[in-house]
């Protein structure tokens, strides 16, 4: 009876798409259409249209022309789910405290479907400060948040994130210096860089790490030297505060290890 009831509500096309996603999630280097069909014990022709739709919707990408692999779109969708909302909720009092102690604004960003997206933000306590609106999409390549989100990921995940960030991988001619910088950020545990958007501002960014040691968010302080407040923390003190707050948030997120080399 249960089998008959289950068959009554079957959606073959949906089942086929889910079978493909689950299979690709279980492999690292992707599969060809023929390999997918063989593993799922079906004809290759059954999967052509389904794979084409999954590619067009951004859930699957082609590698080397004929191999298919998952993108990070499912990860991005999951980022908008309850865990990230909880992270933003947990982060709010800590970010408020950071703003008060550093005398600077700060914001929290996650990777979502090809961009770093601001999910929480705290204003500076005084009338001077640089803040970014919640919901803003910012670059992975020339912001502290973007660098940190990339730095604390595996090489393969970095490439997938970059591929989703640009229309064509050929558009991102990053060079070896960019990857060398990401590795340096991972080694020292934070990013400190002059803003590529606003003169006189330094991005101070540290990662929020998940249980597997990979970045799930980036905490960034757009630091401005306050010449009218000589007692305010300097940039070295401020980055220490950002790191400490990020470490507290990582504990709340369940982090128990550092990013593997």
């Amino acid at each position: 009876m249960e089998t008959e009831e289950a068959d009554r509500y079957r959606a073959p096309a949906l089942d086929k798409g889910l079978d493909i996603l689950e299979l690709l999630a279980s492999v690292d280097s992707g599969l060809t259409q023929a390999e997918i069909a063989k593993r799922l014990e079906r004809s290759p022709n059954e999967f052509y249209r389904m794979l084409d739709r999954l590619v067009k919707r951004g859930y699957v990408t082609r590698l080397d022309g004929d191999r298919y692999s998952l993108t990070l779109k499912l990860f991005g969708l999951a980022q908008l789910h309850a865990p990230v909302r909880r992270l933003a909720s947990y982060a709010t009092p800590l970010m408020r405290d950071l703003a008060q102690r550093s005398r600077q604004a700060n914001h929290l960003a996650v990777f979502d479907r090809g961009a770093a997206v601001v999910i929480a933000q705290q204003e500076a306590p005084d009338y001077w400060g640089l803040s970014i609106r919640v919901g803003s999409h910012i670059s992975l390549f020339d912001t502290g948040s973007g660098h940190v989100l990339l730095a604390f990921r595996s090489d393969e995940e970095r490439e997938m994130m970059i591929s989703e960030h640009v229309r064509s991988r050929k558009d991102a001619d990053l060079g070896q210096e960019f990857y060398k910088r990401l590795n340096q950020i991972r080694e020292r545990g934070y990013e400190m860089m002059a803003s590529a958007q606003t003169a006189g501002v330094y991005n101070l960014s540290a990662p929020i790490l998940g249980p597997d040691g990979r970045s799930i968010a980036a905490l960034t302080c757009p630091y401005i030297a306050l010449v009218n407040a000589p007692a305010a923390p300097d940039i070295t003190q401020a980055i220490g505060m950002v790191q400490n707050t990020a470490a507290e948030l990582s504990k709340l997120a369940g982090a128990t290890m550092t990013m593997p080399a």
Side-chain angles (χ1 to χ4, degrees), residues 71-117:
T71 68
L72 291 179
K73 185 170 184 178
L74 286 172
F75 172 77
L77 292 175
Q79 289 282 59
L80 298 180
H81 195 44
V84 168
R85 290 199 297 272
R86 285 200 300 271
L87 176 60
S89 176
Y90 292 148
T92 297
L94 294 176
M95 293 172 66
R96 186 182 302 119
D97 179 66
L98 173 62
Q100 291 291 333
R101 290 186 293 111
S102 67
R103 309 282 291 276
Q104 305 283 339
N106 62 78
H107 57 268
L108 194 67
V110 300
F111 179 79
D112 175 40
R113 286 171 283 184
V117 181

Side-chain angles (χ1 to χ4, degrees), residues 17-31 36 39 59-60 68-71 74-75 156 160:
L18 293 174
D19 286 343
I20 293 172
L21 293 176
E22 290 173 358
L23 174 60
L24 292 178
S26 69
V27 298
D28 294 326
S29 56
L31 296 169
I36 292 171
R39 295 203 185 193
Y59 290 96
V60 171
Y68 295 88
S69 178
L70 283 186
T71 68
L74 286 172
F75 172 77
E156 181 181 21
M160 292 177 69

